[in-house]
Amino acid sequence: MPADYDPKAFYDGLVRHGLIVPVGVPGAFGRGAVFEDVLERFNTLVSQLARDDGAEVFTFPPVISRDVLEKVKYLESFPHQCGAIYSFFGKEAQAKALAARVNEGKPWGDLLGITDVVMNPAACYPVYPSFSGTLPEGGRLVSMLNWVYRHEPSAEPTRMQSFRVREFVRAGTPQQVLAWRDLWLQRGLVLLTSLGLPARSEVAADPFFGRGGKLLAVSQKEQQLKFEVQVPVVSAEEPTAVCSFNFHQEHFGATFGIRTADGRTASTACLGFGLERIVMALFKTHGFEPGKWPAEVRRRLWP
Ligand code: ZN
């Protein structure tokens, strides 16, 4: 594998080796069996790291309540990434009009109405409402593997509209939550470097919308609320974020009425492994054929 970085060549290589399957929309390709095998094996390594942490395991669908998106003020920060779900609420006559518009190749979105669900934009969002009330003494820890949606169609293969995140959410006192986040930042780096990936951690910011968003990003960086682990996949200068570690302070605790055992507003943190991006980092670093990967990497993934 040459050490140059070319998003198009990398995408074409993934397709040529049957690792991803184009579906005609940028950022929404299918995944082949070998791609999925690597993804599941990496996810298993994460589970092994978390084995003794006592996390509750939740599974959520790829949609969440629109109410949650509104409560966390997602549209103030990330209106450009939102995926609201619209459906048809009309009667017979409107249905005919809708079909006619579609058949004529005309726009038809205005004949739909907003539903109560939206595509889930962050793997951890569905869990916070379930924490409302008083936490047990040691706080809570949840593990999830969720599909998330971001409206950012791109030909660049690591920028997907829909992807999976292996996510953990911790709620408790600020000390509990921060110690846990720092532990995982170390664990994440060790795990990725053990797979031969040139991973490094950086203070980071979320892609807030607009001019006001630039200020939010500066403040987020100053307070070191977000760290990412990055690996070069499509660019040497701008490595791809493959894990993120986020301290939300009391944001979700206050929004959803989550309290610690001693009655204070709870702090929360989450961390997520971007599973497709990690798999792509492995293919970029070690080549498109896992049979030819370095022996020590193969031993980790296929023990
Ligand atoms: Zn999260």
Side-chain angles (χ1 to χ4, degrees), residues 77-211:
S77 296
F78 312 105
H80 55 309
Q81 297 192 338
C82 165
I85 297 182
Y86 285 69
S87 196
F88 177 68
F89 294 89
K91 296 272 193 311
E92 204 76 27
Q94 290 90 5
K96 285 210 175 87
L98 174 65
R101 285 255 208 112
V102 174
N103 292 337
E104 288 160 17
K106 289 185 181 155
W108 48 278
D110 59 303
L111 299 181
L112 303 182
I114 198 164
T115 68
D116 290 338
V117 289
V118 294
M119 300 300 292
N120 184 16
C124 55
Y125 278 179
V127 88
Y128 302 113
S130 80
F131 279 179
S132 292
T134 302
L135 298 171
E137 195 69 49
R140 278 180 83 173
L141 174 65
V142 170
S143 166
M144 295 168 284
L145 198 171
N146 290 341
W147 281 94
V148 300
Y149 171 86
R150 309 263 168 88
H151 180 241
E152 37 184 10
S154 167
E156 196 267 87
T158 68
R159 195 153 294 283
M160 290 158 273
Q161 300 206 59
S162 188
F163 53 93
R164 277 160 291 180
V165 179
R166 176 65 189 274
E167 179 99 355
F168 295 88
V169 177
R170 183 86 171 93
T173 65
Q175 294 80 4
Q176 285 169 339
V177 159
L178 280 172
W180 172 83
R181 182 197 67 177
D182 292 344
L183 168 73
W184 268 101
L185 189 52
Q186 243 355 81
R187 279 180 176 173
L189 270 174
V190 170
L191 173 59
L192 293 171
T193 49
S194 81
L195 295 170
L197 297 176
R200 57 158 212 242
S201 68
E202 285 286 338
V203 176
D206 287 309
F208 297 106
F209 182 77
R211 258 197 305 254

Side-chain angles (χ1 to χ4, degrees), residues 163-166 241-244 272-279:
F163 53 93
R164 277 160 291 180
V165 179
R166 176 65 189 274
V242 297
C243 315
S244 78
F273 291 88
L275 294 177
E276 280 85 358
R277 284 185 166 187
I278 287 168
V279 172

